[in-house]
Amino acid sequence: MAARADLGCGVPAGIWWGLGFNKRTQRAWRGAALIACKKWSCPYCRERMAKKVLARAYKGRLVVESEKAGKYDYKLLTLTCPGKEYREKYTPTEVLHKMTKDWHKLITALKKRGRIDYLRVVEAQKDGYPHFHVLLFGRAIAPRDTLDVITKLWAKYGGGFVRLNAVEDHRGIRRAIHYVLKYLFKEPAKWDRKGTRNFTTSRGAIEPPWKSEWLWLEGKFSFNRSGYPTDYMVTVVNELQDAALPWLVELDLERVRVWVGMQP
């Protein structure tokens, strides 16, 4: 089996070679492959990861419970930082970290009103400063005073402009999710993201991350610490394939199934 030469990841994280087994399809595979970097700064990996998040969101509580929701149980929230004087005082990275802490304070305060699910994504404005796009869901955000409550709290924490719009047509909840998550497909700003994330959700709002169906039974990893480009890595993988991986025994599916606990 040849390496995936079409892998669009510019600087793969490394190479894996060995023996794998898929518990669902009961298909075994022996060979070598590139490991994508899985960084949001990589266009190839960013698109793949954003699509997975979007698919998970369509299977979470935000969509599953939409039929039971009240008319004003879904709302789109935008949170920004203050204007010119504030931005002259703090860098975009400093503002991102402060806004992230303030967001946790805000959502903690709002949850005292009742259960709230949320999906939050960070986007950079033209000047590089962050703002948040949030989809809120729950009876606790339905009251008319929700905007006033959020505005006062956000101002108390030192935040800027607040906008809140109801998603009245619950058939359009998927469009609302897509609106929030579309910012994951954009190239992220070059902030120091230590301690922050591109997106966050409440537990259960979207489906948990999928677990790989593949079990790596025997194998070795070689990490790309020198930053070799994809073309070079593909050459190395193909050389491993041509070597026929002589250190691996011939595959015995019955032995593999016993190994992974699928039969006694």
Side-chain angles (χ1 to χ4, degrees), residues 89-108:
K89 187 177 179 180
Y90 300 103
T91 66
T93 296
E94 290 172 333
V95 172
L96 174 63
H97 285 266
K98 185 179 184 307
M99 285 184 66
T100 301
K101 291 179 181 178
D102 293 341
W103 161 255
H104 291 307
K105 294 178 186 177
L106 176 65
I107 196 63
T108 299

Side-chain angles (χ1 to χ4, degrees), residues 226-241:
S226 300
Y228 293 118
T230 300
D231 291 346
Y232 174 82
M233 302 287 281
V234 168
T235 302
V236 174
V237 170
N238 286 334
E239 288 176 356
L240 285 169
Q241 297 282 7

Side-chain angles (χ1 to χ4, degrees), residues 132-146:
F132 296 159
H133 296 279
V134 189
L135 177 60
L136 297 171
F137 168 52
R139 294 288 169 86
I141 63 161
R144 292 184 178 182
D145 68 341
T146 302

Side-chain angles (χ1 to χ4, degrees), residues 237-255:
V237 170
N238 286 334
E239 288 176 356
L240 285 169
Q241 297 282 7
D242 293 340
L245 307 174
W247 56 275
L248 283 173
V249 298
E250 284 299 316
L251 192 60
D252 181 340
L253 277 180
E254 276 196 24
R255 180 174 63 83

Side-chain angles (χ1 to χ4, degrees), residues 1 15-23 26-33 212-221 240-241 244-260:
M1 179 178 177
I15 296 172
W16 175 90
W17 67 98
L19 172 65
F21 180 74
N22 190 306
K23 292 184 71 173
Q26 298 191 32
R27 183 166 67 91
W29 178 80
R30 187 173 68 175
S212 175
E213 296 173 336
W214 284 92
L215 298 174
W216 308 113
L217 305 179
E218 294 178 3
K220 296 182 180 180
F221 289 94
L240 285 169
Q241 297 282 7
L245 307 174
W247 56 275
L248 283 173
V249 298
E250 284 299 316
L251 192 60
D252 181 340
L253 277 180
E254 276 196 24
R255 180 174 63 83
V256 171
R257 292 192 187 101
V258 171
W259 193 352
V260 299

